[in-house]
Amino acid sequence: MSEQPGTTKVSQPAIHLIYAERHLPKIMPNAIVNAIESIDDPQLDGEVRASWVYQERQKCLGNIHVGQHHIQVSGLANPLPTEIVDCTIHTSPWLPQMKAGMRQHVSHLSLVYAGKDHDPVEKMIALYKTAHAFAREDLLGVVNENAWTAHPIADTLDPEQILSYRQEFPMILWVGYVRFYTNEINFWYVTKGHHIFDVPDLAYFMRDEDELQQITHHFYNLFFYMSGEDVVVSAGDTLEIANTNQFLRFKNVPEGADFLMGPSGTLVIEKIDPEDIDRGG
């Protein structure tokens, strides 16, 4: 199983904050604590603490505890490596001018989850709470290397919005959808970042781009089916799409397509006719 350049097999969530100014945010620990505590979260279990190992304009290293969550913070007054930018900002779903703005960043902070909580959504919320403390006017976006995506800030770091992620999973922020073209028309369409939520990624070979919206919808529903219902799906399994008389079969990634593989594996989905279910397609 091979990795694509610019990707890392990380089992814990991590995000990068990208800035337009060369110098890093220089925020005192008490200001970090106050910013995180300003997010009035009734589910916060424990105190908020922040400390720096070192903090300079060109580099920094520190630790932040948000209740039971531990976030490691590191920063450099340099842009992210080109291979990371190409596999995140470039593949994100935003308008070209938004992506161009994010590509212009010149410094970054990396927030890596290092705690022991088992709930992946709570881990992501802890990261976004920490990001809220480092928001300033020149913050251009959030880069999610695990999910091969990035997003502009808008209201994504507002306290109310962060807390809403428990009720309404922000798929567009936390999961990537990437195309790998095999020719000018056909391409593999694959999710990225499912492994953070303990489910395999999904792939579909797209012969007709008119299917894109439908397959994306299937990806959404399958993600929630596997993560929310704690269902284990394996190659060879079939599934009926509710109230549609449409059926899907799960398959292994074909030989020579290792670029589709996620850290928790990837399952290919294909459409099948009802009569194909019992005879293996």
Side-chain angles (χ1 to χ4, degrees), residues 76-91:
L76 288 173
N78 293 316
L80 290 168
T82 301
E83 60 267 25
I84 293 178
V85 170
D86 289 345
C87 285
T88 54
I89 296 172
H90 180 70
T91 57

Side-chain angles (χ1 to χ4, degrees), residues 53 119 131:
V53 178
D119 187 330

Side-chain angles (χ1 to χ4, degrees), residues 90-111:
H90 180 70
T91 57
S92 69
W94 309 102
L95 293 173
Q97 58 266 35
M98 293 181 177
K99 294 197 278 191
M102 289 190 283
R103 291 183 77 100
Q104 296 303 310
H105 74 279
V106 294
S107 61
H108 70 278
L109 281 178
S110 298
L111 310 181

Side-chain angles (χ1 to χ4, degrees), residues 126-151:
L127 286 175
Y128 273 66
K129 285 181 179 180
T130 304
H132 170 78
F134 290 98
R136 65 184 193 189
E137 288 186 359
D138 70 315
L139 178 58
L140 298 173
V142 174
V143 172
N144 186 333
E145 190 178 351
N146 281 313
W148 287 45
T149 193
H151 65 81

Side-chain angles (χ1 to χ4, degrees), residues 174-238:
W174 293 356
V175 175
Y177 298 89
V178 182
R179 304 182 188 196
F180 293 96
Y181 280 86
T182 58
N183 54 44
E184 293 182 357
I185 300 173
N186 304 133
F187 58 91
W188 282 103
Y189 188 48
V190 59
T191 68
K192 293 292 183 180
H194 278 195
H195 66 283
I196 292 299
F197 306 96
D198 302 320
V199 296
D201 280 299
L202 299 168
Y204 181 82
F205 189 70
M206 195 74 65
R207 294 179 175 85
D208 183 350
E209 194 161 352
D210 289 343
E211 294 183 289
L212 190 64
Q213 184 175 353
Q214 181 191 60
I215 297 302
T216 302
H217 187 65
H218 288 340
F219 282 172
Y220 282 16
N221 288 336
L222 288 169
F223 172 84
F224 290 120
Y225 174 66
M226 291 187 291
S227 62
E229 302 295 329
D230 199 22
V231 172
V232 177
V233 178
S234 303
D237 291 345
T238 58

